[in-house]
mmCIF file of all heavy atoms in Angstrom:
data_model
loop_
_atom_site.group_PDB
_atom_site.id
_atom_site.type_symbol
_atom_site.label_atom_id
_atom_site.label_comp_id
_atom_site.label_asym_id
_atom_site.label_seq_id
_atom_site.Cartn_x
_atom_site.Cartn_y
_atom_site.Cartn_z
ATOM 1 N N GLY A 29 -84.685 110.926 -146.967
ATOM 2 C CA GLY A 29 -84.867 112.341 -146.954
ATOM 3 C C GLY A 29 -83.876 113.058 -146.084
ATOM 4 O O GLY A 29 -84.069 114.273 -145.822
ATOM 5 N N TYR A 30 -82.886 112.340 -145.492
ATOM 6 C CA TYR A 30 -81.965 113.007 -144.609
ATOM 7 C C TYR A 30 -80.706 113.519 -145.217
ATOM 8 O O TYR A 30 -79.994 114.236 -144.631
ATOM 9 C CB TYR A 30 -81.583 112.079 -143.446
ATOM 10 C CG TYR A 30 -82.746 111.676 -142.521
ATOM 11 C CD1 TYR A 30 -83.356 110.389 -142.560
ATOM 12 C CD2 TYR A 30 -83.235 112.643 -141.607
ATOM 13 C CE1 TYR A 30 -84.389 110.090 -141.692
ATOM 14 C CE2 TYR A 30 -84.216 112.266 -140.724
ATOM 15 C CZ TYR A 30 -84.810 110.988 -140.831
ATOM 16 O OH TYR A 30 -85.845 110.626 -139.909
ATOM 17 N N PHE A 31 -80.398 112.967 -146.430
ATOM 18 C CA PHE A 31 -79.074 113.179 -146.976
ATOM 19 C C PHE A 31 -79.280 113.706 -148.420
ATOM 20 O O PHE A 31 -79.726 112.926 -149.305
ATOM 21 C CB PHE A 31 -78.198 111.918 -147.026
ATOM 22 C CG PHE A 31 -76.813 112.032 -147.441
ATOM 23 C CD1 PHE A 31 -75.874 112.429 -146.615
ATOM 24 C CD2 PHE A 31 -76.424 111.671 -148.760
ATOM 25 C CE1 PHE A 31 -74.497 112.567 -146.949
ATOM 26 C CE2 PHE A 31 -75.034 111.817 -149.211
ATOM 27 C CZ PHE A 31 -74.065 112.291 -148.263
ATOM 28 N N ASN A 32 -79.163 114.939 -148.623
ATOM 29 C CA ASN A 32 -79.585 115.589 -149.830
ATOM 30 C C ASN A 32 -78.471 115.960 -150.836
ATOM 31 O O ASN A 32 -78.409 117.095 -151.363
ATOM 32 C CB ASN A 32 -80.424 116.821 -149.550
ATOM 33 C CG ASN A 32 -81.680 116.480 -148.705
ATOM 34 O OD1 ASN A 32 -82.362 115.572 -149.027
ATOM 35 N ND2 ASN A 32 -81.895 117.306 -147.570
ATOM 36 N N THR A 33 -77.559 115.108 -150.960
ATOM 37 C CA THR A 33 -76.408 115.282 -151.856
ATOM 38 C C THR A 33 -76.022 113.898 -152.384
ATOM 39 O O THR A 33 -76.462 112.841 -151.948
ATOM 40 C CB THR A 33 -75.276 116.048 -151.195
ATOM 41 O OG1 THR A 33 -74.320 116.351 -152.185
ATOM 42 C CG2 THR A 33 -74.614 115.177 -150.079
ATOM 43 N N ALA A 34 -75.002 113.938 -153.288
ATOM 44 C CA ALA A 34 -74.513 112.649 -153.875
ATOM 45 C C ALA A 34 -73.847 111.792 -152.746
ATOM 46 O O ALA A 34 -73.165 112.393 -151.923
ATOM 47 C CB ALA A 34 -73.621 112.841 -155.020
ATOM 48 N N THR A 35 -73.945 110.474 -152.889
ATOM 49 C CA THR A 35 -73.220 109.575 -151.978
ATOM 50 C C THR A 35 -71.751 109.650 -152.290
ATOM 51 O O THR A 35 -71.455 109.557 -153.499
ATOM 52 C CB THR A 35 -73.767 108.131 -152.094
ATOM 53 O OG1 THR A 35 -73.629 107.727 -153.324
ATOM 54 C CG2 THR A 35 -75.223 108.074 -151.569
ATOM 55 N N THR A 36 -70.873 109.616 -151.367
ATOM 56 C CA THR A 36 -69.484 109.758 -151.603
ATOM 57 C C THR A 36 -68.677 108.680 -151.069
ATOM 58 O O THR A 36 -67.427 108.430 -151.472
ATOM 59 C CB THR A 36 -69.006 111.044 -151.093
ATOM 60 O OG1 THR A 36 -69.169 111.014 -149.608
ATOM 61 C CG2 THR A 36 -69.689 112.235 -151.614
ATOM 62 N N GLY A 37 -69.183 107.876 -150.051
ATOM 63 C CA GLY A 37 -68.396 106.884 -149.391
ATOM 64 C C GLY A 37 -67.477 107.488 -148.282
ATOM 65 O O GLY A 37 -66.651 106.785 -147.775
ATOM 66 N N TYR A 38 -67.539 108.797 -148.101
ATOM 67 C CA TYR A 38 -66.787 109.427 -147.054
ATOM 68 C C TYR A 38 -67.694 109.911 -145.946
ATOM 69 O O TYR A 38 -68.677 110.662 -146.305
ATOM 70 C CB TYR A 38 -65.958 110.617 -147.577
ATOM 71 C CG TYR A 38 -65.302 111.429 -146.596
ATOM 72 C CD1 TYR A 38 -64.314 110.859 -145.747
ATOM 73 C CD2 TYR A 38 -65.753 112.757 -146.209
ATOM 74 C CE1 TYR A 38 -63.709 111.662 -144.723
ATOM 75 C CE2 TYR A 38 -65.189 113.541 -145.312
ATOM 76 C CZ TYR A 38 -64.242 112.885 -144.533
ATOM 77 O OH TYR A 38 -63.627 113.740 -143.523
ATOM 78 N N TYR A 39 -67.435 109.624 -144.768
ATOM 79 C CA TYR A 39 -68.271 110.019 -143.597
ATOM 80 C C TYR A 39 -67.698 111.354 -142.996
ATOM 81 O O TYR A 39 -66.901 111.322 -142.162
ATOM 82 C CB TYR A 39 -68.127 108.948 -142.557
ATOM 83 C CG TYR A 39 -69.461 108.901 -141.680
ATOM 84 C CD1 TYR A 39 -70.260 107.772 -141.700
ATOM 85 C CD2 TYR A 39 -69.694 109.875 -140.774
ATOM 86 C CE1 TYR A 39 -71.312 107.658 -140.844
ATOM 87 C CE2 TYR A 39 -70.776 109.798 -139.904
ATOM 88 C CZ TYR A 39 -71.556 108.594 -139.876
ATOM 89 O OH TYR A 39 -72.709 108.604 -139.069
ATOM 90 N N GLY A 40 -68.323 112.402 -143.536
ATOM 91 C CA GLY A 40 -67.874 113.789 -143.083
ATOM 92 C C GLY A 40 -69.004 114.487 -142.332
ATOM 93 O O GLY A 40 -70.001 113.764 -141.778
ATOM 94 N N PRO A 41 -68.948 115.667 -142.110
ATOM 95 C CA PRO A 41 -69.948 116.473 -141.385
ATOM 96 C C PRO A 41 -71.366 116.384 -141.880
ATOM 97 O O PRO A 41 -72.320 116.314 -141.118
ATOM 98 C CB PRO A 41 -69.424 117.972 -141.478
ATOM 99 C CG PRO A 41 -67.999 117.775 -141.779
ATOM 100 C CD PRO A 41 -67.765 116.599 -142.634
ATOM 101 N N ILE A 42 -71.532 116.398 -143.277
ATOM 102 C CA ILE A 42 -72.937 116.200 -143.770
ATOM 103 C C ILE A 42 -73.551 114.992 -143.365
ATOM 104 O O ILE A 42 -74.707 114.864 -142.920
ATOM 105 C CB ILE A 42 -72.898 116.335 -145.350
ATOM 106 C CG1 ILE A 42 -72.357 117.852 -145.718
ATOM 107 C CG2 ILE A 42 -74.285 116.167 -145.974
ATOM 108 C CD1 ILE A 42 -72.220 117.990 -147.224
ATOM 109 N N THR A 43 -72.797 113.820 -143.498
ATOM 110 C CA THR A 43 -73.256 112.532 -143.058
ATOM 111 C C THR A 43 -73.555 112.454 -141.589
ATOM 112 O O THR A 43 -74.640 111.981 -141.183
ATOM 113 C CB THR A 43 -72.347 111.394 -143.436
ATOM 114 O OG1 THR A 43 -72.007 111.527 -144.887
ATOM 115 C CG2 THR A 43 -72.947 109.982 -143.056
ATOM 116 N N THR A 44 -72.643 113.030 -140.870
ATOM 117 C CA THR A 44 -72.875 112.983 -139.371
ATOM 118 C C THR A 44 -74.143 113.709 -138.906
ATOM 119 O O THR A 44 -74.953 113.305 -138.134
ATOM 120 C CB THR A 44 -71.586 113.771 -138.690
ATOM 121 O OG1 THR A 44 -70.399 113.087 -138.939
ATOM 122 C CG2 THR A 44 -71.858 113.815 -137.147
ATOM 123 N N GLU A 45 -74.420 114.936 -139.558
ATOM 124 C CA GLU A 45 -75.651 115.662 -139.251
ATOM 125 C C GLU A 45 -76.863 114.895 -139.753
ATOM 126 O O GLU A 45 -77.895 114.924 -138.973
ATOM 127 C CB GLU A 45 -75.547 117.064 -139.828
ATOM 128 C CG GLU A 45 -74.578 118.019 -139.335
ATOM 129 C CD GLU A 45 -74.850 118.142 -137.702
ATOM 130 O OE1 GLU A 45 -76.016 118.362 -137.238
ATOM 131 O OE2 GLU A 45 -73.864 117.970 -137.000
ATOM 132 N N ALA A 46 -76.678 114.254 -140.897
ATOM 133 C CA ALA A 46 -77.857 113.393 -141.356
ATOM 134 C C ALA A 46 -78.203 112.301 -140.438
ATOM 135 O O ALA A 46 -79.391 111.991 -140.022
ATOM 136 C CB ALA A 46 -77.648 112.984 -142.781
ATOM 137 N N VAL A 47 -77.235 111.686 -139.928
ATOM 138 C CA VAL A 47 -77.350 110.499 -138.923
ATOM 139 C C VAL A 47 -78.004 111.098 -137.655
ATOM 140 O O VAL A 47 -78.819 110.393 -137.050
ATOM 141 C CB VAL A 47 -76.120 109.742 -138.765
ATOM 142 C CG1 VAL A 47 -76.230 108.708 -137.616
ATOM 143 C CG2 VAL A 47 -75.681 109.078 -140.061
ATOM 144 N N LYS A 48 -77.497 112.206 -137.182
ATOM 145 C CA LYS A 48 -78.018 112.729 -136.006
ATOM 146 C C LYS A 48 -79.606 113.009 -136.149
ATOM 147 O O LYS A 48 -80.337 112.775 -135.142
ATOM 148 C CB LYS A 48 -77.253 114.072 -135.648
ATOM 149 C CG LYS A 48 -75.854 113.920 -135.007
ATOM 150 C CD LYS A 48 -75.364 115.269 -134.604
ATOM 151 C CE LYS A 48 -74.001 115.138 -133.996
ATOM 152 N NZ LYS A 48 -73.413 116.436 -133.615
ATOM 153 N N GLN A 49 -79.957 113.529 -137.247
ATOM 154 C CA GLN A 49 -81.337 113.856 -137.312
ATOM 155 C C GLN A 49 -82.164 112.565 -137.390
ATOM 156 O O GLN A 49 -83.293 112.504 -136.859
ATOM 157 C CB GLN A 49 -81.603 114.641 -138.700
ATOM 158 C CG GLN A 49 -83.073 115.176 -138.886
ATOM 159 C CD GLN A 49 -83.442 116.039 -137.652
ATOM 160 O OE1 GLN A 49 -82.759 117.071 -137.358
ATOM 161 N NE2 GLN A 49 -84.525 115.691 -136.960
ATOM 162 N N LEU A 50 -81.648 111.495 -138.030
ATOM 163 C CA LEU A 50 -82.338 110.181 -138.051
ATOM 164 C C LEU A 50 -82.466 109.733 -136.587
ATOM 165 O O LEU A 50 -83.520 109.287 -136.139
ATOM 166 C CB LEU A 50 -81.561 109.156 -138.918
ATOM 167 C CG LEU A 50 -81.865 107.712 -138.856
ATOM 168 C CD1 LEU A 50 -83.206 107.497 -139.603
ATOM 169 C CD2 LEU A 50 -80.765 106.826 -139.250
ATOM 170 N N GLN A 51 -81.392 109.801 -135.871
ATOM 171 C CA GLN A 51 -81.422 109.346 -134.510
ATOM 172 C C GLN A 51 -82.326 110.086 -133.598
ATOM 173 O O GLN A 51 -83.089 109.544 -132.826
ATOM 174 C CB GLN A 51 -79.956 109.409 -133.922
ATOM 175 C CG GLN A 51 -78.972 108.324 -134.585
ATOM 176 C CD GLN A 51 -77.529 108.730 -134.270
ATOM 177 O OE1 GLN A 51 -77.140 109.776 -134.118
ATOM 178 N NE2 GLN A 51 -76.735 107.593 -134.446
ATOM 179 N N LYS A 52 -82.407 111.426 -133.737
ATOM 180 C CA LYS A 52 -83.322 112.194 -133.087
ATOM 181 C C LYS A 52 -84.829 111.876 -133.424
ATOM 182 O O LYS A 52 -85.604 111.666 -132.422
ATOM 183 C CB LYS A 52 -83.160 113.674 -133.361
ATOM 184 C CG LYS A 52 -81.911 114.308 -132.790
ATOM 185 C CD LYS A 52 -81.790 115.740 -133.321
ATOM 186 C CE LYS A 52 -80.474 116.411 -132.742
ATOM 187 N NZ LYS A 52 -80.308 117.818 -133.234
ATOM 188 N N ASP A 53 -85.142 111.650 -134.608
ATOM 189 C CA ASP A 53 -86.404 111.221 -135.102
ATOM 190 C C ASP A 53 -86.868 109.985 -134.468
ATOM 191 O O ASP A 53 -88.086 109.784 -134.170
ATOM 192 C CB ASP A 53 -86.532 111.240 -136.634
ATOM 193 C CG ASP A 53 -86.595 112.673 -137.190
ATOM 194 O OD1 ASP A 53 -86.615 113.677 -136.447
ATOM 195 O OD2 ASP A 53 -86.542 112.762 -138.494
ATOM 196 N N PHE A 54 -85.937 109.055 -134.360
ATOM 197 C CA PHE A 54 -86.332 107.677 -133.885
ATOM 198 C C PHE A 54 -86.032 107.409 -132.455
ATOM 199 O O PHE A 54 -86.049 106.294 -131.947
ATOM 200 C CB PHE A 54 -85.683 106.627 -134.877
ATOM 201 C CG PHE A 54 -86.260 106.523 -136.137
ATOM 202 C CD1 PHE A 54 -85.900 107.432 -137.239
ATOM 203 C CD2 PHE A 54 -87.330 105.576 -136.377
ATOM 204 C CE1 PHE A 54 -86.596 107.203 -138.436
ATOM 205 C CE2 PHE A 54 -87.851 105.509 -137.607
ATOM 206 C CZ PHE A 54 -87.522 106.337 -138.635
ATOM 207 N N GLY A 55 -85.735 108.464 -131.642
ATOM 208 C CA GLY A 55 -85.591 108.303 -130.239
ATOM 209 C C GLY A 55 -84.305 107.789 -129.751
ATOM 210 O O GLY A 55 -84.211 107.216 -128.665
ATOM 211 N N LEU A 56 -83.295 107.813 -130.650
ATOM 212 C CA LEU A 56 -81.954 107.324 -130.282
ATOM 213 C C LEU A 56 -81.011 108.607 -130.021
ATOM 214 O O LEU A 56 -81.283 109.687 -130.308
ATOM 215 C CB LEU A 56 -81.288 106.629 -131.474
ATOM 216 C CG LEU A 56 -82.004 105.436 -131.987
ATOM 217 C CD1 LEU A 56 -81.359 104.819 -133.258
ATOM 218 C CD2 LEU A 56 -82.311 104.366 -130.950
ATOM 219 N N GLU A 57 -80.019 108.305 -129.153
ATOM 220 C CA GLU A 57 -79.108 109.254 -128.764
ATOM 221 C C GLU A 57 -78.362 109.867 -129.991
ATOM 222 O O GLU A 57 -77.818 109.041 -130.783
ATOM 223 C CB GLU A 57 -78.034 108.716 -127.831
ATOM 224 C CG GLU A 57 -77.094 109.789 -127.272
ATOM 225 C CD GLU A 57 -75.988 109.216 -126.416
ATOM 226 O OE1 GLU A 57 -76.015 108.022 -126.130
ATOM 227 O OE2 GLU A 57 -75.135 109.970 -125.976
ATOM 228 N N PRO A 58 -78.461 111.173 -130.236
ATOM 229 C CA PRO A 58 -77.970 111.759 -131.497
ATOM 230 C C PRO A 58 -76.400 111.896 -131.491
ATOM 231 O O PRO A 58 -75.874 112.947 -131.363
ATOM 232 C CB PRO A 58 -78.679 113.076 -131.587
ATOM 233 C CG PRO A 58 -78.900 113.479 -130.144
ATOM 234 C CD PRO A 58 -79.135 112.107 -129.500
ATOM 235 N N ILE A 59 -75.778 110.790 -131.570
ATOM 236 C CA ILE A 59 -74.249 110.778 -131.452
ATOM 237 C C ILE A 59 -73.627 111.108 -132.884
ATOM 238 O O ILE A 59 -72.497 111.381 -132.884
ATOM 239 C CB ILE A 59 -73.669 109.529 -130.987
ATOM 240 C CG1 ILE A 59 -74.110 108.357 -131.808
ATOM 241 C CG2 ILE A 59 -74.136 109.297 -129.396
ATOM 242 C CD1 ILE A 59 -73.603 106.992 -131.434
ATOM 243 N N GLY A 60 -74.373 110.808 -133.970
ATOM 244 C CA GLY A 60 -73.905 111.213 -135.277
ATOM 245 C C GLY A 60 -73.129 109.985 -135.907
ATOM 246 O O GLY A 60 -72.794 110.068 -137.102
ATOM 247 N N GLY A 61 -72.700 109.090 -135.177
ATOM 248 C CA GLY A 61 -72.120 107.861 -135.710
ATOM 249 C C GLY A 61 -73.083 106.703 -135.760
ATOM 250 O O GLY A 61 -74.091 106.688 -135.071
#
C-alpha cells in the first residue's frame, strides 16, 4: 500500500517517498534508498 502507481523499474521520487514511508513505519532511518 505504499506505491500507488504502475511499476516502472525506474527509481525516482515516487519510489523514494514510498520507501521513506515504509522505513518510517518500521522504525528505520527514512533515507529513501
Side-chain angles (χ1 to χ4, degrees):
Y30 294 107
F31 190 79
N32 299 313
T33 188
T35 59
T36 63
Y38 170 70
Y39 205 115
I42 295 175
T43 305
T44 299
E45 290 305 311
V47 170
K48 282 183 179 180
Q49 190 58 57
L50 171 78
Q51 291 165 334
K52 288 177 183 178
D53 286 351
F54 285 86
L56 302 179
E57 183 182 0
I59 59 175

